[in-house]
Amino acid sequence: MTDPAPHPHATEEEVQAAYSDPKLANILYHDWEAGTYDEKWSISYDERCISYATDVFNAVAGEDGQPYPTAMELGSGTGFFLLNLMQGGVIKKGSVTDLSPGMVQVALRNAENLGLDVDGRVADAERIPYPDDSFDLVVGHAVLHHIPDVPGALREVLRVLKPGGRFVFAGEPTRIGNFYARKLGQLTWWLTTNVTKVPALNGWRRPQEELDESSRAAALEAVVDIHTFDPSELERMALGAGAVDVRAVTEEFSAALAGWPIRTFEAAVPQEKLTVRWRMFAYHLWLRLSALDKKVLAKVLPRELFYNVMITGTKP
């Protein structure tokens, strides 16, 4: 069966319909974002993101079993997690899947440019189009919170895993973390778009039509972001789906408190204003705060306070 083509320019009627249909919203939003997604989220396929992806993976799953012969990324987007894990030696052969045809197209193009052995399918996480016992590993980054039926998707993940196979999902928002991140992002957007109305700072203002489009995308983003997670509840959900050896880990507290305003500011100003010096400052600040989170704050703060939750488990 032929996968559907990308649909990056939704009609007003389709957008309105998406507000009551999370799956349609995910397709429209991610097809819309596919071409600029890597730039928006500072995604790369070099040492910076290879280190990030492998560090996140190892933090929750450890290094045993690497390299995994076959792996699938669920809700792959542009391939960020899978492709960087492949480059980091964690995975040999990969498959990308996403509900958005545009994202699958970009992920396959990224894989081809990197010379990686990857195939791809447009796929609903609740009905994964692969046979039972297909993969040694299933991974996902920032995907579970988009899926209407998370327990159903986890059961599907376990179905396509080989016995003893592992899943790793990372980048999921915690309930408390999402609350403060959203508030910080909204405040930063309001401040930046209003302060740049001042004539002396007008050069820092993006054209109004671009700001309006970003606002429409943000409104649709609120529809596609369905869930937040309590780490203990997420563990119980995975156990209920049939997984064993389940473990959730959280990360990013001070890094999120700084990172969300920075990312929102970057989205609200013209890209040419963001110099290499600024980008290096933002990156190194994130690195320092992430180290503070791991070495100090993770030992003294409840895991529920951190922004990201990662979870792993295996198929019996």
Side-chain angles (χ1 to χ4, degrees):
M1 188 172 70
T2 304
D3 282 341
H7 182 44
H9 303 294
T11 65
E12 184 64 32
E13 290 77 15
E14 287 170 325
V15 172
Q16 289 303 316
Y19 284 109
S20 58
D21 184 343
K23 289 187 180 181
L24 176 60
N26 265 294
I27 294 169
L28 297 182
Y29 175 76
H30 289 101
D31 272 5
W32 187 0
E33 293 273 280
T36 57
Y37 197 78
D38 284 351
E39 180 183 63
K40 175 182 177 180
W41 293 104
S42 297
I43 290 171
S44 63
Y45 301 90
D46 54 18
E47 188 55 41
R48 178 176 66 89
C49 282
I50 293 170
S51 295
Y52 172 80
T54 54
D55 286 350
V56 164
F57 185 95
N58 293 338
V60 67
E63 298 183 35
D64 290 348
Q66 299 182 21
Y68 293 84
T70 60
M72 179 194 76
E73 183 169 10
L74 192 70
S76 63
T78 57
F80 156 73
F81 203 37
L82 180 87
L83 302 186
N84 280 312
L85 288 174
M86 291 181 74
Q87 292 191 100
V90 176
I91 296 161
K92 287 186 176 179
K93 176 175 172 52
S95 299
V96 292
T97 66
D98 200 287
L99 195 59
S100 159
M103 288 294 191
V104 173
Q105 188 178 78
V106 174
L108 290 174
R109 186 168 67 234
N110 285 339
E112 183 178 5
N113 291 341
L114 294 166
L116 298 174
D117 186 6
V118 175
D119 59 54
R121 296 288 303 277
V122 174
D124 186 329
E126 297 164 19
R127 292 184 296 276
I128 300 172
Y130 287 96
D132 296 358
D133 307 333
S134 291
F135 300 101
D136 301 287
L137 174 70
V138 172
V139 298
H141 192 279
V143 58
L144 294 181
H145 67 282
H146 293 314
I147 299 171
D149 182 5
V150 176
L154 290 172
R155 288 192 294 272
E156 274 290 275
V157 165
L158 290 168
R159 180 185 66 78
V160 301
L161 277 173
K162 297 176 183 178
R166 177 176 295 280
F167 64 82
V168 173
F169 291 101
E172 300 298 337
T174 63
R175 197 157 294 148
I176 295 174
N178 183 72
F179 174 78
Y180 61 71
R182 292 280 183 192
K183 294 298 182 185
L184 285 169
Q186 289 164 1
L187 177 61
T188 305
W189 181 266
W190 183 86
L191 282 172
T192 305
T193 55
N194 279 280
V195 168
T196 52
K197 289 178 181 177
V198 176
L201 296 174
N202 215 245
W204 283 83
R205 185 172 178 82
R206 284 173 60 188
Q208 189 60 44
E209 59 270 22
E210 290 184 12
L211 293 173
D212 291 343
E213 185 168 1
S214 292
S215 295
R216 287 194 296 274
L220 205 53
E221 188 174 31
V223 180
V224 303
D225 291 347
I226 304 171
H227 307 288
T228 56
F229 299 100
D230 174 271
S232 297
E233 287 180 12
L234 189 56
E235 287 173 332
R236 288 193 292 271
M237 203 178 289
L239 290 166
V244 297
D245 302 323
V246 172
R247 174 176 178 247
V249 176
T250 56
E251 63 170 4
E252 288 195 24
F253 179 67
S254 65
L257 291 175
W260 274 92
I262 287 172
R263 281 194 290 266
T264 307
F265 169 77
E266 290 177 344
V269 302
Q271 290 302 298
E272 60 269 19
K273 293 291 187 181
L274 303 175
T275 61
V276 172
R277 185 175 178 180
W278 163 265
R279 293 186 185 278
M280 293 306 294
F281 157 76
Y283 174 54
H284 287 294
L285 175 64
W286 181 84
L287 283 179
R288 288 193 293 271
L289 293 177
S290 293
L292 172 67
D293 291 337
K294 290 174 186 174
K295 295 176 182 177
V296 180
L297 298 183
K299 297 175 181 177
V300 297
L301 295 178
R303 64 178 182 170
E304 291 81 6
L305 290 181
F306 289 75
Y307 176 72
N308 278 328
V309 60
M310 309 171 280
I311 188 163
T312 190
T314 58
K315 179 176 179 175

